[in-house]
Amino acid sequence: AQTVTQSQPEMSVQEAETVTLSCTYDTSESNYYLFWYKQPPSRQMILVIRQEAYKQQNATENRFSVNFQKAAKSFSLKISDSQLGDTAMYFCAHRTSYGKLTFGQGTILTVHP
Amino acid sequence: EPEVTQTPSHQVTQMGQEVILRCVPISNHLYFYWYRQILGQKVEFLVSFYNNEISEKSEIFDDQFSVERPDGSNFTLKIRSTKLEDSAMYFCASTPRRDNTGELFFGEGSRLTVL
């Protein structure tokens, strides 16, 4: 069974600073996708960034980037130049080849002015 | 931009009542999912659905739950006799492909409150 672990229940950062959210996962599959989803107070799940396991290059989307360490089964999210609108719950997720998405416990990120 | 829509946005019901949550997936999508999030907790997989049958279900998805696609557009989750612990946000999601190259597209969720 796939498991996803986020060991930081809460994080905070000052506006314009950089913050890194941690995630580890466990899977027996060799090919899979990893995702970071953002859930603001509105509760909708918004995709932030995704990484294909067979790609060695770390994914980047504007201020968001990942550090994907396949051997260590680690997938951290770095948010640069944090903005107040980044305040949300962030979920790391792993997708199996059959399409089921498994989520971590979530990290509440608060960006302070 | 196409999106997954869910109704109702919030439903309050009495314990023991039946509830139907509705979802309209994106029109060319083939795979459908229900997830549940109890307040403040992680998002949990309930069930996946493809070609008019359940592909996979979790241990949460017991006999009280059922899903169907009654027509070409709706995808419903029914809870036959609600319990207090069914209070949660329920998310529908869809994807055009079953493999792991596609993103799951989520609806905005339906909040269920069981009194």
Side-chain angles (χ1 to χ4, degrees):
Chain A
Q2 285 74 29
T3 59
V4 179
T5 303
Q6 293 177 250
S7 58
Q8 304 155 315
E10 295 186 44
M11 294 281 284
S12 63
V13 65
Q14 293 294 125
E15 197 174 7
E17 298 287 303
T18 295
V19 64
T20 299
L21 308 184
S22 302
C23 173
T24 59
Y25 61 94
D26 191 19
T27 182
S28 57
E29 300 198 13
S30 58
N31 196 23
Y32 48 87
Y33 259 74
L34 296 165
F35 303 86
W36 278 97
Y37 279 88
K38 171 184 176 181
Q39 188 181 40
S42 67
R43 307 288 285 178
Q44 186 170 10
M45 302 291 287
I46 302 167
L47 179 67
V48 174
I49 197 166
R50 68 177 166 209
Q51 174 79 41
E52 299 164 41
Y54 65 86
K55 287 188 177 178
Q56 293 191 340
Q57 187 174 4
N58 289 323
T60 299
E61 287 286 341
N62 301 314
R63 297 183 294 108
F64 300 89
S65 61
V66 299
N67 183 4
F68 174 47
Q69 302 288 328
K70 190 172 184 178
K73 295 183 178 174
S74 168
F75 182 61
S76 60
L77 174 69
K78 186 170 84 171
I79 306 174
S80 304
D81 186 25
S82 298
Q83 300 176 0
L84 296 178
D86 295 333
T87 292
M89 174 85 92
Y90 286 81
F91 290 99
C92 178
H94 167 281
R95 185 155 182 217
T96 68
S97 57
Y98 295 100
K100 185 180 87 172
L101 202 60
T102 301
F103 288 89
Q105 303 92 324
T107 297
I108 298 172
L109 176 67
T110 304
V111 181
H112 297 286
Chain B
E1 187 175 327
E3 58 183 21
V4 176
T5 57
Q6 291 185 239
T7 55
S9 56
H10 188 194
Q11 181 158 354
V12 181
T13 190
Q14 295 290 325
M15 191 169 58
Q17 295 296 303
E18 176 183 284
V19 160
I20 297 176
L21 305 179
R22 291 183 168 80
C23 170
V24 180
I26 296 172
S27 63
N28 65 342
H29 285 193
L30 301 176
Y31 301 94
F32 315 114
Y33 309 84
W34 282 102
Y35 284 81
R36 179 181 84 175
Q37 184 183 29
I38 295 171
L39 186 64
Q41 297 187 23
K42 68 189 290 185
V43 181
E44 300 172 295
F45 169 75
L46 290 178
V47 66
S48 58
F49 191 86
Y50 168 70
N51 200 25
N52 285 320
E53 60 183 28
I54 290 173
S55 311
E56 185 177 358
K57 60 182 181 179
S58 71
E59 61 275 9
I60 303 169
F61 195 87
D62 61 22
D63 292 344
Q64 292 298 311
F65 292 89
S66 63
V67 289
E68 66 174 0
R69 191 158 159 81
D71 51 42
S73 58
N74 289 283
F75 177 52
T76 62
L77 174 69
K78 181 193 290 186
I79 310 174
R80 261 180 272 282
S81 177
T82 50
K83 308 185 194 75
L84 295 176
E85 55 265 36
D86 293 328
S87 293
M89 181 75 89
Y90 290 81
F91 291 100
C92 174
S94 68
T95 184
R97 293 189 295 269
R98 194 185 189 192
D99 62 21
N100 48 337
T101 59
E103 171 192 347
L104 261 66
F105 295 82
F106 284 87
E108 293 190 352
S110 292
R111 180 180 298 281
L112 175 64
T113 302
V114 182
L115 302 176

